[in-house]
Amino acid sequence: MGRYQLLARRGPDAVLSLYLAVALEPPGSKELVVLHCVPSEVAAEAGAGAALVEDGKLAGRLEHPNMVRTLGVGEESGQIYVATEYLEGQTLEAVGQAARKARSPLEPALCARLVSDALTGLHYAHELKDGSGPLALVHRNINPGTVFVTYDGEVKVTDFGGAKERLLQSTESEESAKRRLGHMAPEQVSGRQVDRRADVFAMGIVLWELLTGRALMDRETAPLTLQRVLQDALEPPSTFAKEIDRELDTIVLRALERDPARRFQSAEGMRMELETYLFGRGATATRVTERMQALFGEARERERVEVLRLLSRLRPSIAPPPAPPPLPVRRAGGGGAGAPPPESWRSVLSDPPPPPAPRPPPPRPGMSAAMKALLGVGALVVVGAGAVLVATFLKQPVVVPVVEEAAAPPIARTVLRLHGSNVMGADLVPALVEAFLKGRGATGIARHPGPRPLETDVKATLGGSEQVVEIEAQGTSTAFDDLAAGKCDIGMASRLITSAEAATLAPLGDMTLPANEHLLGLDGIAVIVHPNNPLRSIDTARLHDVFSGQLKDWADLSGRPGPIEVYAPGTRSGTYDIFSHLVLGEDPLVATAKRVPELAALAKAVAGGPNAIGFTSFHDVQGAEALAVSEPGSTPLYPSPFTVATEDYLLTRRMYLYVPAAATPLATDFVTFAVSPEGQRVVKSAGFVDLTVRISDPSPCVDKCPPRYLAISRRARRLSLTFRFRSGGSDFDSRSYGDIDRLLELLKAYPNPHVIVLGFSDIVGDPTQSLALSKERAGKVNDELVARGIHPTIVDGFGLELPRASNATAAGRERNRRVEVWLDKD
């Protein structure tokens, strides 16, 4: 049929038949495809033939990891066909049914993950533009049968475009019509104009049903179903599944608002809320893969055998078999979402002639190594008309002898690219990548120098192929440049993204949201001198004067004369960015500074220079001496794991991983691993401060200390996490969302913990407003803990008291708006 050699056929089913086929062009491709075929007279009768072709052309433009690929449209032997990619997996409807049958319901976080990934593809389609502007596409038929889950954990939206659906509607049963009605938005069933928000409503139904294992809208008759869609009160999912928490209930019910103006205004808006909910819950593509294997592993193996059997019957010629007869026109049966289990494939090939003796049988023609790899794990599962087409007639596995070709040498494939911070990319991220690959079962893991300076390639063998993870450590600024240019999958940053950088990356999503901005760990910037230098502490004002060149002799600092020799990292380094921001401000670094891009080498240079001073990561001090740092008038603090973890040390910096909203599954899995307890152990072993909560008896509070705070600090121990907030309100910053989960994990070791929550503010000028805001922030942390079953014994605010830094600077104010958490010793 056209450029495709047909292998097997399912149907005819109503007005639609599907063929499993092999592409013959370009020569040697042998790509497996699925052809969705409709007789031309049926398409003409239904008035949808031209629309079917147009839908196929439109769908061909939807190139996104979360959309099923349409490969082409055509007409052959009186039949219109649309070719789509061959997929291995199941519809979301089949996944839910299998989980319920196995009495192993999908956990709420996994349901949220599947829907969030589907929303990514849906948003892409909604945003599609051509030369004249937005196309304003709306799916109109989102339901569990048009969302597909591959065995590798990918989620894809199928059947975009309404022509095929209208064809199926012309012959669908009353039951199918009722089920279709039960996945429509109120404005859609009312015949009003619809936009992307109708698809959001339908996704809300999908998520509700996946969480509860029940139909939300479907009732005994179509009129009752219509009433349910338009009028009846909708219960939150937790009504039927107690393990669902309030946060997820809120997201689902907002998606199900009957007034479109009260819903999420885009699929992206709903996805971002789900990603915030999912943060730290471990619902990754790897977890999806594990559940798919548990539910469908045996069926997948039987299906693999059937695919091999069909392909073994290919003639040794690449010429296609005779064209199939036109499809008979039928006017009965189902099809689409809710159809009964599909029929098996029936071969359309005659048996190949036996090879002449005594010559051995010829190998299957043109079978590439890539195709063999596909068939070695493949399952006969294809997407079409909202149904999964699975070969079901085999009761026992059938072994089919295959003549193997000589294996081609493996070709290394870059599967993940991380660009940015040199302090992160030097050793920390390579170590994380090695641990991540090892956890996925890779072998032969090794680091290799990349083709450019400061580039490392981690190579490993996984699934019989060599895979490469590319790590470029050219500096934090390159993380955002390369994300914008599509040159990397994950950005490594040793500072917070700027508003200008976030605006540049806005097409990839809001990089300031927890779903896209992931705190990996912390590092302190150590100010270092030669070990024999008598200086032991310095304030930020004098640091500024030294590194800007206003102080040039050690006699002005330590009493020992000698010219000050300044060392600094490269200009694109995150270490330099943070130091410049916190210390130099608008002033440039002294022109005579010696630049050393590699931080460990910089520390060694300072340790070898009696008159040297520099700054580096606090885990890279080497043989130099770190100074205690303070702001003028405050107590100097040395960088230590605790002072860095609490961010009380002035030159503390955060290390982030930034990913686009539509991140690849592997990128998402890597970030999830990096912030997990296992990943955090790697962070700690690399010499950085991990996010694990520590408990410490702090130094006594004596100067300008409120009596109540003094009493608390004498009888309690402070935790190393400090909740911080975005300016002017009580919204958590990106670290704090994960700290809630880490705090709960710590408190599991305490049967009846006495938790103390103390808030502080940064607003200057109005003590009353400042005190109220500090208590509001403490109340925010209290509410989050109470919602999780922890009831703090003390919740209080201290306003502007006990600042950790100066409120005269933005960085100082950010450090001061905080909530400390303590544990009573009793």
Side-chain angles (χ1 to χ4, degrees):
M1 184 174 288
R3 67 185 188 93
Y4 302 103
Q5 176 166 314
L6 306 183
L7 299 178
R9 171 178 170 182
R10 179 224 159 187
D13 181 5
V15 296
L16 181 71
S17 265
L18 291 99
Y19 287 93
L20 181 65
V22 174
L24 300 175
E25 298 173 5
S29 71
K30 293 297 185 292
E31 179 182 11
L32 278 174
V33 301
V34 180
L35 302 183
H36 309 247
C37 306
V38 180
S40 56
E41 65 271 19
V42 175
E45 181 182 333
L52 185 68
V53 173
E54 288 304 311
D55 276 359
K57 292 178 179 178
L58 176 63
R61 299 176 58 183
L62 299 175
E63 290 285 343
H64 190 274
N66 298 110
M67 300 292 297
V68 172
R69 280 192 306 136
T70 295
L71 306 174
V73 294
E75 184 172 357
E76 180 78 12
S77 302
Q79 299 175 66
I80 297 173
Y81 65 87
V82 178
T84 62
E85 64 178 321
Y86 168 93
L87 290 175
E88 305 169 334
Q90 304 282 345
T91 61
L92 201 54
E93 182 176 37
V95 173
Q97 289 174 349
R100 291 191 293 275
K101 184 176 180 180
R103 297 188 177 182
S104 176
L106 300 177
E107 52 266 40
L110 201 63
C111 297
R113 163 57 55 215
L114 295 169
V115 170
S116 177
D117 289 353
L119 287 163
T120 301
L122 198 57
H123 179 67
Y124 162 81
H126 289 162
E127 292 287 303
L128 193 66
K129 299 179 177 66
D130 63 10
S132 59
L135 296 178
L137 299 181
V138 183
H139 192 291
R140 300 172 184 267
N141 189 34
I142 291 293
N143 63 70
T146 56
V147 178
F148 192 79
V149 187
T150 74
Y151 291 130
D152 293 328
E154 295 181 315
V155 181
K156 296 174 181 282
V157 178
T158 75
D159 289 350
F160 220 105
K164 186 166 65 178
E165 181 65 18
R166 289 194 294 275
L167 282 172
L168 294 170
Q169 288 174 27
S170 66
T171 61
E172 72 181 346
S173 66
E174 180 180 352
E175 179 65 22
S176 295
K178 181 165 62 70
R179 285 176 57 83
R180 182 170 48 82
L181 188 68
H183 289 91
M184 289 184 179
E187 62 270 26
Q188 189 174 356
V189 301
S190 302
R192 303 195 304 271
Q193 184 175 359
V194 300
D195 57 25
R196 63 177 66 189
R197 293 173 295 182
D199 288 344
V200 171
F201 188 92
M203 273 297 186
I205 297 175
V206 169
L207 180 53
W208 193 99
E209 294 181 339
L210 200 59
L211 288 166
T212 65
R214 297 165 172 257
L216 175 59
M217 303 294 188
D218 196 16
R219 291 297 180 263
E220 292 80 8
T221 65
L224 288 176
T225 299
L226 182 61
Q227 176 181 319
R228 174 78 167 163
V229 173
L230 293 174
Q231 298 176 3
D232 292 353
L234 303 179
E235 305 87 350
S238 60
T239 304
F240 304 99
K242 299 303 181 185
E243 66 274 14
I244 298 170
D245 59 26
R246 184 176 61 183
E247 184 179 358
L248 195 52
D249 268 345
T250 301
I251 295 171
V252 175
L253 292 179
R254 183 178 175 191
L256 293 174
E257 288 281 359
R258 289 191 171 92
D259 180 358
R262 296 174 61 85
R263 270 177 232 154
F264 295 106
Q265 297 301 290
S266 67
E268 174 69 0
M270 183 178 176
R271 188 201 68 82
M272 288 191 295
E273 287 294 315
L274 286 174
E275 288 297 328
T276 300
Y277 162 79
L278 285 167
F279 182 75
R281 296 181 186 267
T284 65
T286 300
R287 179 59 181 151
V288 176
T289 303
E290 292 170 353
R291 288 305 307 269
M292 293 293 285
Q293 176 62 26
L295 292 172
F296 301 105
E298 292 182 5
R300 182 183 186 185
E301 177 61 22
R302 292 195 301 269
E303 293 153 10
R304 179 192 67 85
V305 172
E306 174 59 11
V307 172
L308 288 173
R309 189 188 71 81
L310 288 169
L311 283 160
S312 70
R313 304 186 68 194
L314 278 172
R315 295 176 180 274
S317 167
I318 64 169
L327 298 179
V329 179
R330 293 175 54 186
R331 289 293 183 266
E343 302 176 51
S344 304
W345 290 107
R346 297 186 179 91
S347 175
V348 297
L349 299 176
S350 60
D351 292 328
R359 298 176 61 187
R364 292 197 303 269
M367 188 64 66
S368 67
M371 178 61 75
K372 287 184 180 178
L374 172 66
L375 298 178
V377 299
L380 184 57
V381 180
V382 263
V383 174
V388 183
L389 308 181
V390 182
T392 58
F393 59 86
L394 285 182
K395 301 300 183 183
Q396 299 293 333
V398 177
V399 179
V400 179
V402 177
V403 179
E404 295 290 344
E405 297 175 0
I411 299 175
R413 181 167 61 97
T414 300
V415 295
L416 192 63
R417 302 165 299 167
L418 299 99
H419 294 186
S421 164
N422 54 4
V423 70
M424 295 169 67
D427 184 67
L428 170 58
V429 170
L432 279 169
V433 168
E434 289 169 343
F436 173 67
L437 292 173
K438 183 178 180 181
R440 295 173 74 89
T443 59
I445 303 170
R447 301 185 199 183
H448 301 270
R452 297 199 297 169
L454 300 178
E455 182 178 325
T456 300
D457 288 342
V458 179
K459 297 182 180 180
T461 301
L462 185 62
S465 65
E466 186 177 19
Q467 299 187 355
V468 179
V469 177
E470 172 188 291
I471 304 167
E472 286 192 11
Q474 306 290 338
T476 288
S477 296
T478 62
F480 307 117
D481 293 343
D482 290 359
L483 279 172
K487 295 180 180 178
C488 69
D489 306 299
I490 300 175
M492 307 178 295
S494 50
R495 60 168 172 79
L496 197 65
I497 191 171
T498 67
S499 56
E501 288 165 338
T504 300
L505 292 175
L508 302 180
D510 186 345
M511 289 296 164
T512 66
L513 293 178
N516 304 324
E517 179 183 79
H518 302 271
L519 181 64
L520 175 62
L522 300 122
D523 187 23
I525 298 178
V527 179
I528 54 175
V529 295
H530 190 274
N532 294 337
N533 194 315
L535 187 68
R536 286 295 174 264
S537 67
I538 191 169
D539 64 40
T540 51
R542 292 165 87 70
L543 265 182
H544 170 275
D545 291 347
V546 168
F547 282 88
S548 64
Q550 297 177 45
L551 284 177
K552 299 182 179 180
D553 198 288
W554 282 110
D556 298 323
L557 288 173
S558 63
R560 187 197 67 180
I564 297 175
E565 299 175 1
V566 172
Y567 286 78
T571 56
R572 296 184 70 82
S573 161
T575 306
Y576 177 79
D577 285 347
I578 290 293
F579 186 86
S580 177
H581 175 69
L582 295 178
V583 176
L584 291 174
E586 300 297 323
D587 293 330
L589 183 73
V590 60
T592 57
K594 299 175 182 178
R595 297 282 192 172
V596 183
E598 210 273 313
L599 296 181
L602 186 152
K604 288 179 180 178
V606 172
N611 292 324
I613 186 172
F615 56 93
T616 185
S617 170
F618 95 107
H619 78 282
D620 257 332
V621 171
Q622 304 289 333
E625 183 74 25
L627 302 180
V629 179
S630 66
E631 290 202 325
S634 66
T635 303
L637 286 177
Y638 286 97
S640 73
F642 192 85
T643 61
V644 171
T646 59
E647 300 182 81
D648 289 340
Y649 176 66
L650 285 173
L651 301 184
T652 296
R653 57 155 170 211
R654 297 179 174 187
M655 298 182 297
Y656 294 95
L657 297 174
Y658 285 90
V659 293
T664 66
L666 193 62
T668 301
D669 283 358
F670 175 78
V671 170
T672 301
F673 168 80
V675 300
S676 71
E678 185 179 356
Q680 288 297 293
R681 285 193 288 272
V682 177
V683 172
K684 183 178 181 180
S685 65
F688 294 89
V689 177
D690 60 300
L691 303 177
T692 305
V693 182
R694 299 166 175 83
I695 304 176
S696 175
D697 290 304
S699 301
C701 175
V702 290
D703 295 331
K704 301 179 182 179
C705 198
R708 183 166 170 76
Y709 189 89
L710 180 61
I712 290 170
S713 63
R714 283 175 175 169
R715 61 183 174 86
R717 294 175 296 171
R718 188 176 169 194
L719 304 187
S720 61
L721 54 80
T722 301
F723 292 97
R724 286 189 162 81
F725 301 81
R726 302 191 188 278
S727 178
S730 57
D731 292 333
F732 280 151
D733 67 3
S734 57
R735 173 183 178 178
S736 297
Y737 286 102
D739 276 347
I740 287 286
D741 293 330
R742 286 182 277 270
L743 176 57
L744 293 176
E745 190 64 30
L746 171 76
L747 294 179
K748 288 179 180 178
Y750 297 84
N752 187 27
H754 291 246
V755 179
I756 300 168
V757 179
L758 306 177
F760 300 87
S761 180
D762 63 317
I763 296 180
V764 178
D766 187 343
T768 302
Q769 183 183 2
S770 178
L771 182 62
L773 185 55
S774 69
K775 292 185 175 183
E776 179 184 349
R777 288 169 175 161
K780 165 78 171 179
V781 175
N782 177 69
D783 291 345
E784 294 289 340
L785 294 177
V786 168
R788 292 162 173 82
I790 302 295
H791 296 268
T793 55
I794 299 176
V795 180
D796 206 352
F798 291 88
L800 288 170
E801 298 186 90
L802 293 174
R804 297 298 181 193
S806 170
N807 276 318
T809 66
R813 291 191 294 273
E814 181 180 350
R815 194 174 302 278
N816 290 332
R817 52 178 181 264
R818 69 192 189 278
V819 170
E820 299 175 358
V821 181
W822 298 64
L823 276 181
D824 197 308
K825 292 179 181 178
D826 298 330

